[in-house]
Amino acid sequence: MPELPDVENYKRYLQRRAMQIPITDVQVADTRILDGVSEQRFKQCLTGARFASAQRHGKHLLVHLDSGIWLTMHFGMTGALSFFENAQADPRYHRVRFDFDRDRHLAYTDQRMLGRLGLAEDGEADVFINSHALGPDALDPKLDLAKFKSALGGAGAAKAALMDQGRIAGIGNLYADEILFQAKIHPRTLIGSLSDQQLGDLYRAMRHVLKTAIARGAGSENFSERLPEEYLLRHREKDGSCPRGHGPLQTLRFAGRTAYYCPDCQPKP
Ligand SMILES: [Zn+2]
């Protein structure tokens, strides 16, 4: 599932391939992917416009058009972007396709159809962020340790708090497991019981893990093999073992998702 690092790399990909060239046409292959906008209006607003800039907040990608509106993208479980030349080469599961001149195209693909594309009419991306009640982005340069602590709050278990987009935006199931593993905190530890030292470890692990994942190519194929050997994500599977040599990883069901952890590195609270 695309989380902050994946979406950051989608943003950079879009910036490299599809900026400042006029959109000549928009194909909507499945209208269920559109969020609160009709196919007609969606096509009308985008055709003839250009992608002028892009920013990311948490798992949301916000693309500013030179016409003044925003294209908003969320990638659900399986969403991705694919730029290609030659319309015959349409990737599988493309739901929306932006066409440019010289047979160039950007497809939004999504096998499971849980992502959404929409439009935000307001001049400021902040309006979108506020309306979705998103917390600060996990990699926001202004999010220092003090702000991190206050955004995280004092209630609930560590894993649930990290994944709560209203507290801090961008972290999902996989990266929450990695961050907790690197910070040596059990997923069920109550946030309110963490020491200052542990909160500092959690903050530094969050920043480091997310930045490392972006730099190693999150969002591309076989990406986990490019992560450092000591990362949980390389071993996060049935029968996987702790990369620090402690033996089998354990799992627990948590808010409908599976958490992987090492009982030695991350002792029960
Ligand atoms: Zn371990």
Side-chain angles (χ1 to χ4, degrees), residues 181 242-246 262 264-265:
F181 177 75
C242 171
R244 298 189 185 109
H246 292 127
C262 169
D264 288 298
C265 294

Side-chain angles (χ1 to χ4, degrees), residues 83-97:
F83 187 90
F84 59 100
E85 300 182 15
N86 181 358
Q88 303 306 316
D90 254 2
R92 280 179 88 187
Y93 309 118
H94 92 258
R95 308 302 184 189
V96 172
R97 197 184 80 198

